[in-house]
Amino acid sequence: YRISDALMNVYKLFWDEFSSWLLEMVKPAYQQPIDGATYRAVISLFERLIVLLHPFMPFITEELWQHIYERKGGQSIMNCSLPKTGKFDKKLLEQFETAKEIITSVRSIRQEKSIPNKNTVSLLVKGNIKLNEGLESVISKLAGLDKVEYVTEKVDGAMSFMVQTTEFFVPLAGLINVDEEIEKLNNELNYYQGFLASVLKKLGNEKFINGAPEQVVAAERRKQSDAEAKIKALLERISGLAKG
């Protein structure tokens, strides 16, 4: 038995999937009550999770289990059977992983651009992906979206990210100071252009190419490739913001 692996799986299930995602999904609006059916379902799931956790944390899980519902004298979590694996929708799980990537990416843009959570943003989708209707509402709630729209062309004046083969855009008009953002991107562009120039100078030196170990030369070529990709992306973002 690999007890450490079992503990880590239970930990991730409890902390990541249940606490970080599920509770955020079902959390009602500010000062609004949660509906009874959702509350009962979450409590039932919580009970099963602490049964899973009990072998690793016996005392606190016993205490929690005793207080979830009214128990009869002598009842104990130790007498509960461990939950068994049942049927599940593999496709839905895969779609939810995609939804998590989208939400995380939008949140990263919010953080990078200092967009307050109280301000909603739009999400424009370019690609063949069609979001599950239920998951689309989850994405809208957790990413703070006012709409999800499907487009066929790149969107100017927007931040973009990729999930699998689909490109997503978050328009920034009215959310940031465009001139300040362009200035910031230009400064970043100047840095990478200078960095690329130094790499190209080194790669243009025959003594370096002929004398350096192969892996060192390969590392410099990777630096060149990475810098060129970064410069291309920055130029596209600057151009898009300028057009927007």
Side-chain angles (χ1 to χ4, degrees):
Y1 296 99
R2 300 173 67 174
I3 301 299
S4 60
D5 287 356
L7 175 58
M8 184 54 64
N9 284 333
V10 175
Y11 168 80
K12 289 180 178 179
L13 178 63
F14 200 105
W15 185 254
D16 295 338
E17 305 302 331
F18 180 77
S19 302
S20 296
W21 288 104
L22 178 64
L23 293 185
E24 283 294 309
M25 287 167 56
V26 303
K27 185 169 66 176
Y30 179 63
Q31 291 189 334
Q32 297 299 312
I34 189 170
D35 68 274
T38 301
Y39 175 79
R40 289 188 293 273
V42 171
I43 291 297
S44 175
L45 178 57
F46 179 71
E47 182 180 29
R48 282 178 282 166
L49 286 174
I50 62 173
V51 170
L52 275 176
L53 193 57
H54 178 68
F56 308 102
M57 301 176 66
F59 301 109
I60 185 64
T61 50
E62 177 73 58
E63 188 71 15
L64 290 169
W65 187 86
Q66 292 290 345
H67 286 82
I68 291 175
Y69 300 111
E70 186 175 342
R71 309 291 184 183
K72 296 179 180 179
Q75 282 188 306
S76 171
I77 192 174
M78 291 187 293
N79 298 322
C80 295
S81 299
L82 288 174
K84 296 181 180 179
T85 302
K87 293 183 179 180
F88 60 91
D89 188 334
K90 183 178 179 181
K91 183 177 180 180
L92 181 59
L93 291 178
E94 291 172 349
Q95 290 175 337
F96 185 65
E97 289 302 315
T98 299
K100 286 161 65 175
E101 284 190 63
I102 296 169
I103 293 165
T104 301
S105 297
V106 174
R107 286 175 170 177
S108 294
I109 290 174
R110 281 183 171 278
Q111 184 176 18
E112 181 182 344
K113 301 305 175 188
S114 300
I115 301 172
N117 289 330
K118 65 180 181 180
N119 294 348
T120 57
V121 298
S122 301
L123 184 66
L124 308 183
V125 186
K126 178 180 178 291
N128 297 323
I129 192 172
K130 181 64 178 176
L131 299 174
N132 175 290
E133 185 175 340
L135 290 180
E136 186 174 311
S137 65
V138 170
I139 294 169
S140 294
K141 177 180 180 179
L142 298 189
L145 306 180
D146 52 25
K147 69 175 180 179
V148 177
E149 185 177 316
Y150 294 85
V151 298
T152 56
E153 302 292 337
K154 285 183 174 290
V155 179
D156 292 328
M159 291 284 288
S160 65
F161 60 90
M162 297 289 295
V163 174
Q164 298 169 16
T165 59
T166 300
E167 191 168 13
F168 296 82
F169 300 89
V170 177
L172 298 177
L175 296 172
I176 64 168
N177 185 311
V178 175
D179 291 336
E180 288 182 0
E181 184 65 19
I182 290 177
E183 182 180 359
K184 177 182 174 182
L185 292 174
N186 275 321
N187 290 335
E188 192 174 352
L189 176 63
N190 290 335
Y191 166 79
Y192 280 103
Q193 287 174 332
F195 176 76
L196 177 61
S198 66
V199 173
L200 291 175
K201 183 177 180 180
K202 186 179 291 187
L203 290 173
N205 186 326
E206 289 189 14
K207 288 185 178 180
F208 171 75
I209 296 296
N210 296 328
E214 184 177 338
Q215 62 269 27
V216 173
V217 176
E220 291 301 315
R221 295 197 188 281
R222 284 195 298 273
K223 290 179 183 178
Q224 176 189 354
S225 178
D226 292 344
E228 288 173 343
K230 187 68 176 179
I231 289 170
K232 180 182 178 182
L234 285 168
L235 287 171
E236 288 178 353
R237 286 171 61 185
I238 292 169
S239 175
L241 285 172
K243 291 178 182 178

